């Protein structure tokens, strides 16, 4: 029995920004990783193999609130849940989750080390692998980077969203004002359909103080 398996954690060679913020794959990319890892590494042909448990079958805060979460806080399913159904039953669900390609912030990706001044206007956009999916809601949120650790143990409390920064939303695009306080942040986009599915992505950015 394999009692814990899943996608790569941020400590496993994950790319980082210049300020050491881990770059998180989209939920779509993580769903692909679950399928690939299972097919490549699970001893499914061994008659002794009884099954496996995915980490983490739920929602948790670790590095971000989405890194290891197969669901959001309200129980909406990411694409990884569909991957698990396929791996365990051989059948995909009738309605798949939205599939994200990537997010750009002012035409830059996370690997571009996105820097801003305080209170600066910026634009984010999500690009889809399969346009036209039945998306009924897009939630945009900005959080300060979660680096707090006590006794070198990951924080398990979700950071508080910084309200009032998103000034305009139009389908897959959003305009926001960068925080007034210097430091590292992330902008998240959560996409929901009317079948109980969701997809998520985020991009880290850094606000540099005017006197730096």
């Amino acid at each position: 029995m394999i009692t814990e398996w899943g996608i790569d954690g941020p400590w496993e060679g994950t790319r980082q920004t210049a300020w050491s913020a881990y770059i998180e794959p989209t939920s779509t990319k993580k769903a692909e990783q679950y399928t690939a890892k299972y097919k490549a590494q699970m001893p499914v042909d061994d008659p002794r193999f009884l099954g496996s448990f995915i980490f983490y079958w739920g929602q948790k805060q670790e590095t971000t609130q989405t890194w290891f979460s197969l669901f959001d806080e309200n129980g909406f399913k990411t694409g990884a849940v569909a991957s698990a159904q396929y791996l365990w039953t051989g059948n995909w669900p009738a309605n798949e989750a939205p599939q994200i390609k990537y997010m750009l912030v002012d035409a830059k990706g996370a690997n571009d080390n996105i820097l801003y001044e305080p209170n600066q206007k910026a634009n984010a956009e999500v690009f889809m692998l399969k346009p036209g999916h039945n998306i009924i809601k897009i939630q945009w949120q900005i959080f300060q980077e979660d680096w707090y650790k006590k006794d070198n143990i990951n924080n398990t409390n979700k950071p508080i969203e910084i309200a009032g920064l998103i000034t305009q939303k139009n389908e897959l695009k959003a305009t926001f004002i960068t925080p007034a306080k210097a430091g590292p942040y992330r902008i998240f986009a959560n996409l929901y359909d009317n079948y109980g599915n969701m997809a998520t992505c985020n991009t880290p950015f850094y606000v540099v103080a005017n006197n730096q």
Side-chain angles (χ1 to χ4, degrees):
M1 176 72 73
I2 307 300
T3 58
E4 181 179 315
W5 70 278
I7 59 168
D8 292 341
W11 56 85
E12 296 180 285
T14 303
R15 289 184 178 181
Q16 301 177 55
T17 64
W19 55 93
S20 300
Y22 290 108
I23 298 173
E24 181 177 352
T26 68
S27 59
T28 302
K29 179 58 66 176
K30 285 184 280 190
E32 295 172 357
Q33 289 179 5
Y34 279 107
T35 302
K37 281 179 173 286
Y38 189 94
K39 289 183 174 181
Q41 300 178 18
M42 284 296 166
V44 294
D45 295 326
D46 191 321
R48 298 171 299 171
F49 182 53
L50 298 178
S52 64
F53 293 86
I54 287 179
F55 179 86
Y56 179 81
W57 195 262
Q59 192 278 331
K60 76 190 301 280
Q61 173 73 33
E62 186 172 340
T63 305
T64 71
Q65 66 268 29
T66 55
W67 198 294
F68 293 104
S69 301
L70 270 67
F71 303 84
D72 78 348
E73 294 165 308
N74 297 309
F76 282 82
K77 305 182 294 288
T78 68
V81 177
S83 294
Q85 176 178 319
Y86 165 71
L87 293 169
W88 290 334
T89 70
N91 298 309
W92 290 97
N95 299 294
E96 62 184 3
Q99 296 190 34
I100 296 174
K101 191 174 183 180
Y102 50 74
M103 178 200 290
L104 295 181
V105 180
D106 284 332
K108 296 180 180 179
N111 288 309
D112 293 320
N113 297 312
I114 304 169
L115 303 178
Y116 286 111
E117 295 179 356
N119 302 309
Q120 184 176 344
K121 181 180 178 181
N123 298 283
E125 183 174 3
V126 175
F127 294 82
M128 306 299 292
L129 277 172
K130 293 185 177 181
H133 189 96
N134 188 23
I135 297 170
I136 61 172
K137 176 185 175 182
I138 301 177
Q139 179 186 45
W140 294 90
Q141 297 177 300
I142 295 177
F143 295 87
Q144 192 167 14
E145 187 69 49
D146 179 23
W147 281 344
Y148 176 76
K149 287 187 178 182
K150 183 178 181 180
D151 299 326
N152 204 34
I153 298 174
N154 278 291
N155 177 38
T156 58
N157 296 317
K158 179 181 176 180
I160 298 174
E161 178 186 357
I162 305 174
L165 297 179
I166 308 296
T167 60
Q168 186 176 355
K169 295 179 286 186
N170 181 17
E171 295 182 348
L172 296 173
K173 299 179 181 180
T175 300
F176 65 98
I177 302 298
T178 60
K181 180 182 177 181
Y185 299 88
R186 287 180 191 255
I187 180 168
F188 287 74
N190 302 318
L191 286 62
Y192 297 88
D193 67 14
N194 56 2
Y195 301 109
N197 300 309
M198 63 93 64
T200 183
C201 60
N202 67 74
T203 300
F205 64 93
Y206 199 99
V207 175
V208 181
N210 291 326
N211 59 358
Q212 289 184 312

